[in-house]
């Protein structure tokens, strides 16, 4: 079952913060986050496993609430390079395939 | 550069034709995944191979087939093409076939069916 991402699109100014949410109606084992720039390949950002851990690198971090079956991606002090479409992918178990959400288009303006 | 290569970059063909898309995984990766991305749509998982064997199937049409060769490169064959098959086709690879491991995507093949 495809996870639901929100919002569908967001526009912000350089330096502002953004949150992208990913939720599922089914129990989740892992959540994967990717960023795709227009016409390019998706690029891996991070994986979160059930257990409620939070991960991050640089100014991008994410959390995973397994009880609520949802994950949030936090972009702090956005940079122009953060623009792109963010996809979450979820798995219901350790040996199951990724199912991607429909994406959140993030535009960072100068 | 993810280390995953895909050829060709662009492909234009007519309805009813057959095409083959090629993918070479990152060095050391045993697993190959194929995805379809239609215009402004998400990534639809098609099929996965691990070390030469089919591991998982997603929303892959019967007109589509794939295989992974002993040198681990993979080919996706699309036949009896329809206009709706026009899309970006991505190949991704990972080290292992199961578990929550990151997938590295190739640059994609843009297929246009006219």
């Amino acid at each position: 079952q495809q996870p639901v991402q929100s919002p569908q699109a967001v526009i912000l100014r350089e330096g502002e913060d953004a949150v992208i949410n990913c939720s599922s109606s089914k129990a989740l084992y892992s959540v994967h986050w990717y960023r795709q720039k227009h016409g390019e390949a998706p690029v891996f950002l991070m994986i979160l496993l059930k257990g409620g851990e939070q991960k991050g690198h640089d100014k991008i971090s994410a959390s995973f609430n397994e009880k609520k079956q949802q994950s949030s991606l936090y972009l702090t002090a956005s940079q122009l390079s953060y623009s792109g479409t963010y996809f979450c992918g979820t798995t219901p178990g350790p040996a199951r395939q990724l199912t991607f959400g429909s994406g959140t288009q993030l535009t960072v303006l100068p | 550069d993810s280390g995953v290569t895909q050829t060709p970059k662009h492909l234009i063909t007519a309805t009813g034709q057959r095409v083959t898309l090629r993918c070479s995984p990152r060095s050391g990766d045993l697993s190959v995944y194929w995805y379809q991305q239609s215009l402004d749509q998400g990534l639809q998982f098609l099929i996965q191979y691990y070390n030469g064997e089919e591991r998982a199937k997603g929303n892959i049409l019967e007109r589509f087939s794939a295989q992974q060769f002993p040198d681990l490169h993979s080919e996706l064959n699309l036949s009896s093409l329809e206009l709706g098959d026009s899309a970006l086709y991505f190949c991704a690879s990972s080290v292992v076939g199961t578990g929550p491991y990151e997938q590295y995507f190739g640059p994609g093949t843009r297929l246009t069916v006219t």
Side-chain angles (χ1 to χ4, degrees):
Chain A
Q1 183 137 5
Q2 185 179 37
V4 177
Q5 288 186 235
S6 63
Q8 287 187 316
V10 58
I11 300 174
L12 55 154
R13 295 280 179 189
E14 205 173 0
E16 293 181 339
D17 301 340
V19 180
I20 299 172
N21 300 303
C22 174
S23 63
S24 174
S25 58
K26 293 191 173 183
L28 297 177
Y29 175 76
S30 67
V31 180
H32 306 223
W33 286 97
Y34 286 80
R35 176 173 59 209
Q36 183 180 29
K37 294 187 180 287
H38 185 69
E40 298 182 7
V43 174
F44 170 78
L45 294 176
M46 63 189 78
I47 293 175
L48 301 101
L49 300 179
K50 68 176 184 177
E53 64 176 289
Q54 184 152 346
K55 278 195 174 182
H57 60 84
D58 198 12
K59 295 177 181 174
I60 300 177
S61 62
S63 63
F64 178 21
N65 187 324
E66 63 179 289
K67 290 183 181 178
K68 293 185 177 180
Q69 290 118 250
Q70 65 185 40
S71 174
S72 294
L73 186 71
Y74 307 94
L75 298 104
T76 306
S78 296
Q79 305 169 16
L80 296 176
S81 61
Y82 286 3
S83 291
T85 301
Y86 289 78
F87 290 99
C88 72
T90 60
T91 66
R96 303 294 297 276
Q97 295 310 306
L98 267 178
T99 301
F100 283 96
S102 56
T104 295
Q105 189 170 350
L106 180 81
T107 304
V108 181
L109 301 175
Chain B
D1 185 354
S2 66
V4 179
T5 60
Q6 288 187 249
T7 57
K9 195 172 176 62
H10 300 278
L11 199 50
I12 301 174
T13 189
T15 55
Q17 295 299 304
R18 173 189 168 94
V19 297
T20 297
L21 312 183
R22 183 187 168 103
C23 166
S24 292
R26 290 188 324 157
S27 177
D29 285 0
L30 300 178
S31 205
V32 169
Y33 311 78
W34 286 98
Y35 292 89
Q36 179 192 58
Q37 186 175 42
S38 301
L39 191 64
D40 294 327
Q41 295 295 310
L43 294 150
Q44 298 295 319
F45 169 69
L46 296 178
I47 197 166
Q48 178 203 357
Y49 277 82
Y50 175 71
N51 204 20
E53 295 194 2
E54 183 183 302
R55 176 61 65 93
K57 257 186 178 180
N59 300 321
I60 187 166
L61 300 172
E62 284 191 12
R63 301 183 285 108
F64 296 0
S65 65
Q67 54 184 327
Q68 186 179 28
F69 295 86
D71 66 352
L72 300 178
H73 91 271
S74 177
E75 293 181 356
L76 179 67
N77 300 297
L78 315 176
S79 61
S80 302
L81 286 168
E82 302 175 359
L83 295 177
D85 296 328
S86 295
L88 255 177
Y89 290 84
F90 285 107
C91 162
S93 73
S94 69
V95 174
V96 294
T98 60
Y101 291 95
E102 55 266 40
Q103 296 181 20
Y104 293 89
F105 283 76
T109 293
R110 182 172 295 281
L111 174 67
T112 303
V113 182
T114 62

